């Protein structure tokens, strides 16, 4: 499953595949900002790019956890 995110200061869009959860940090090839994240949490300054696919929340977000199926702090 592909999820689209962006570095919100400049709006550079990037994608995360597989489970869609943030498990690696990298650098934007355009502006060198930190992108991605770790432990299924986005790095600061990153956000969902809903304009790409209409998603309303990121994978592994609190919004995605409405049934309480997992605790984000336990996903390492």
């Amino acid at each position: 499953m592909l999820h689209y995110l962006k570095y919100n200061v400049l709006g550079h869009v990037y994608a995360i595949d597989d489970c869609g959860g943030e498990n690696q940090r990298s650098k934007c090839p355009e502006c060198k900002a930190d992108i991605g994240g770790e432990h299924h949490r986005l790095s600061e300054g990153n956000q969902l790019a809903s304009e790409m696919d209409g998603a309303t929340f990121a994978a592994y977000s609190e919004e995605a956890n409405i049934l309480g199926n997992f605790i984000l702090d336990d996903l390492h």
Side-chain angles (χ1 to χ4, degrees):
M1 180 177 285
L2 196 61
H3 291 269
Y4 293 97
L5 304 158
K6 64 183 171 184
Y7 179 64
N8 67 3
V9 173
L10 299 172
H12 296 156
V13 175
Y14 61 96
I16 295 178
D17 63 357
D18 294 330
C19 72
E22 305 78 20
N23 62 14
Q24 286 184 350
R25 289 180 191 245
S26 190
K27 296 283 185 186
C28 174
E30 296 180 58
C31 67
K32 309 300 183 222
D34 287 330
I35 59 172
E38 294 177 327
H39 308 298
H40 294 97
R41 294 187 189 267
L42 283 171
S43 295
E44 186 176 336
N46 290 260
Q47 66 184 40
L48 181 67
S50 58
E51 67 273 17
M52 298 298 292
D53 62 2
T56 55
F57 48 81
Y60 296 96
S61 64
E62 290 301 325
E63 295 88 351
N65 191 26
I66 58 172
L67 299 177
N69 293 328
F70 54 83
I71 299 170
L72 292 176
D73 291 333
D74 291 341
L75 297 175
H76 300 287

